[in-house]
Amino acid sequence: MKLEVFVFFQQWQEAVDLVQKAGNVRLFLSSTFVVVRYTFLEALAYLKAAQSSSGWKKRQMKKCAHKTIQLLRGWAKNGNVNVVHYLRILGAELAVLNGKKEKAKESFNAAIAASRRIGFLQDRALAHELTSAYFKAQADEYWGDYHIECSMACYQEWG
C-alpha cells in the first residue's frame, strides 16, 4: 500500500494528499485487516499533518483525524482488540497536537506496551519511532536516541 510507504518515510502531507484523493476506500477493501490498517494510517497521517499546519488547515486535519479515530473506537468497543494499540498511538499523537506533554509521554509508553502485548512488532517499532521524534522535538536527545534505537531493533527483528 502506497499509504504505508508514505507513513514509513514520514511523508505526512503526501499521505494526506493520497487519502484525500482516494476518498473512502474502506468501501472497496475486502480484508478486515486491510481496512483497519488503512484507517489507522489515515488517522495518523491527518494528526501528523495537523501538527505541522496552522489555522484553518490544522483544524480541518484534526477534524478528519477525529472522524477516523471514531471508527477505530467503535471497532474497539465492538470487541476488536487488534485496534487498541492503534488507539494508544493515535492518543499520543493527539496529545502532542494539543500540547499536552505529560499526556503524550504516558500515551507513547502505553502505545509501546500495548503493541508489545498484542505482538505487532512493526507497530511497536513505529510507536518507538514516533516517540523518538516527540522527544527529539522536545530537545531531549537521551530519550530520543533511546527510542530510535529501540525502533531500529524492532524493525530489524521484524525483518
Side-chain angles (χ1 to χ4, degrees):
M1 224 178 351
K2 199 171 188 179
L3 180 58
E4 192 89 46
V5 174
F6 285 142
V7 169
F8 184 78
F9 288 106
Q10 298 185 15
Q11 295 175 328
W12 305 115
Q13 190 55 54
E14 291 85 347
V16 167
D17 292 344
L18 179 67
V19 165
Q20 290 177 334
K21 183 179 178 183
N24 187 2
V25 298
R26 279 180 287 281
L27 299 172
F28 308 105
L29 297 173
S30 58
S31 165
T32 302
F33 172 78
V34 174
V35 169
V36 170
R37 182 72 180 175
Y38 176 86
T39 304
F40 163 66
L41 296 174
E42 178 183 5
L44 181 60
Y46 279 129
L47 287 172
K48 295 301 282 186
Q51 290 172 13
S52 61
S53 300
S54 61
W56 178 84
K57 186 174 182 181
K58 182 175 186 170
R59 287 189 302 276
Q60 195 66 19
M61 295 291 115
K62 190 174 176 180
K63 181 180 175 184
C64 290
H66 274 294
K67 184 178 177 184
T68 309
I69 291 168
Q70 285 305 105
L71 287 172
L72 290 163
R73 285 184 180 144
W75 294 333
K77 187 177 178 180
N78 287 330
N80 187 342
V81 296
N82 292 330
V83 301
V84 173
H85 67 294
Y86 289 154
L87 289 170
R88 299 280 187 254
I89 293 169
L90 296 171
E93 290 297 340
L94 191 56
V96 171
L97 179 61
N98 291 329
K100 298 179 178 180
K101 293 179 182 182
E102 279 306 309
K103 176 72 172 164
K105 289 178 191 178
E106 292 169 12
S107 297
F108 278 123
N109 286 331
I112 292 165
S115 297
R116 181 183 313 114
R117 258 192 319 275
I118 197 116
F120 284 90
L121 192 55
Q122 74 278 18
D123 294 330
R124 189 169 91 197
L126 177 62
H128 274 296
E129 188 176 353
L130 295 169
T131 305
S132 174
Y134 169 74
F135 280 112
K136 296 246 180 186
Q138 299 298 311
D140 188 335
E141 294 298 316
Y142 176 82
W143 286 111
D145 290 344
Y146 169 79
H147 284 288
I148 203 66
E149 288 173 17
C150 290
S151 176
M152 289 187 297
C154 289
Y155 280 128
Q156 188 172 21
E157 184 180 340
W158 181 52

